[in-house]
Amino acid sequence: MFSNFKRIVTLTLLASAAGQVPAAPAPVADLSNSVSVSTSRAKKPSSESDVQRLERLLENRNSVQLKMQQQLDDMALEVSELRGQLERNSYDMQQMLQRQRELFIELDRVRGEMKNKTTSSSQPTVDTDIAGTFSSNVDEQTAYQNAVDLILKKRDYSGAIAAFQQFQKDYPDSNFASNAHYWLGQLYFAKKQDKEAAQSFAAVITYSDSNKRADALVKLGDIAKRNNNLAQANKYYQQVVDEYPSSASAKVAKENLN
């Protein structure tokens, strides 16, 4: 019994000594640092990926903006070219209409003169119902009148060309020969058949006493100018100024001289 009591006392003393020894602190700081370092290392690759993605988005946006700007520049150039073409077409149309107005005015004047001549010479006038019909069997003056009426009444320019061509074949020595060449030149000029127009106007200027000679020279200048032959155009215009200084044709020629 004494032996058991001694054992209990011994165990009690040992337990008391063990309780007085201070416990070692737990490594809390080390664990916290370890977790912080691990977290930092885990986030670093993710941050670099975001930067790269942002750079790529910026590059794509810049590329799209450059493409859009290029398309806008191309469209602006096309619009400018179309506007220029429209202006040129408008100018050509105005020139053609002006020439047609001049042609109609002159033809109307000639038609009036021919009617006066017909009346004064007691010759029968042309039946208005058949004024647009051309026949090589009618007399010279009526044949010429028919060709003129194809323009004034029928507005049949192709038919008028054929009529004047036939008139020249049937009446090569007619007093209206130079006028026939002139009106053919006007018709060809309005249709932009410059080669044929130039031939007709060149035929007119061979008639030194023709009242259409000065205007035919102007028209030859206009044809040369329309075909970018400015030297030849100025030559014709200057010839008009020199030979017909007081005429209306000379005034037109001066305005076109470069």
Side-chain angles (χ1 to χ4, degrees), residues 90-106:
S90 177
Y91 175 79
D92 291 342
M93 180 64 70
Q94 290 175 359
Q95 290 294 308
M96 183 180 69
L97 292 175
Q98 179 63 28
R99 292 299 183 188
Q100 287 183 342
R101 283 194 293 268
E102 293 174 356
L103 175 64
F104 293 149
I105 292 171
E106 186 64 22

Side-chain angles (χ1 to χ4, degrees), residues 222-231 233:
D222 292 344
I223 292 171
K225 186 175 182 179
R226 186 158 72 180
N227 288 274
N228 299 318
N229 191 345
L230 296 181

Side-chain angles (χ1 to χ4, degrees), residues 125-169:
T125 58
V126 181
D127 187 350
T128 56
D129 292 337
I130 60 172
T133 303
F134 175 78
S135 172
S136 60
N137 296 324
V138 297
D139 61 80
E140 175 184 339
Q141 184 167 315
T142 304
Y144 183 79
Q145 180 68 60
N146 285 342
V148 171
D149 285 346
L150 280 173
I151 300 173
L152 293 179
K153 292 185 176 181
K154 300 296 184 181
R155 305 294 171 88
D156 181 4
Y157 306 138
S158 297
I161 290 175
F164 279 118
Q165 288 175 338
Q166 188 63 47
F167 178 85
Q168 290 174 336
K169 291 179 181 178

Side-chain angles (χ1 to χ4, degrees), residues 54-100:
L54 180 59
E55 290 178 348
R56 185 173 64 257
L57 290 174
L58 290 174
E59 290 177 357
N60 291 339
R61 188 189 67 178
N62 292 337
S63 177
V64 170
Q65 288 179 340
L66 288 174
K67 290 180 180 179
M68 291 179 64
Q69 185 62 46
Q70 183 63 43
Q71 291 176 352
L72 289 174
D73 292 342
D74 292 342
M75 292 176 65
L77 180 60
E78 291 179 5
V79 170
S80 178
E81 292 176 351
L82 290 173
R83 184 181 294 112
Q85 184 63 41
L86 181 61
E87 291 175 354
R88 286 193 294 271
N89 291 341
S90 177
Y91 175 79
D92 291 342
M93 180 64 70
Q94 290 175 359
Q95 290 294 308
M96 183 180 69
L97 292 175
Q98 179 63 28
R99 292 299 183 188
Q100 287 183 342

Side-chain angles (χ1 to χ4, degrees), residues 95 98-99 102 182 189 214-222 225 233-234 236-241 244-258:
Q95 290 294 308
Q98 179 63 28
R99 292 299 183 188
E102 293 174 356
Y182 178 79
F189 186 85
D215 196 34
L217 286 168
V218 173
K219 296 301 187 298
L220 286 170
D222 292 344
K225 186 175 182 179
N234 288 331
Y236 284 122
Y237 293 143
Q238 190 61 52
Q239 185 176 352
V240 178
V241 174
Y244 305 93
S246 302
S247 66
S249 298
K251 182 179 179 181
V252 175
K254 288 179 181 178
E255 292 174 353
N256 285 280
L257 272 171
N258 293 318

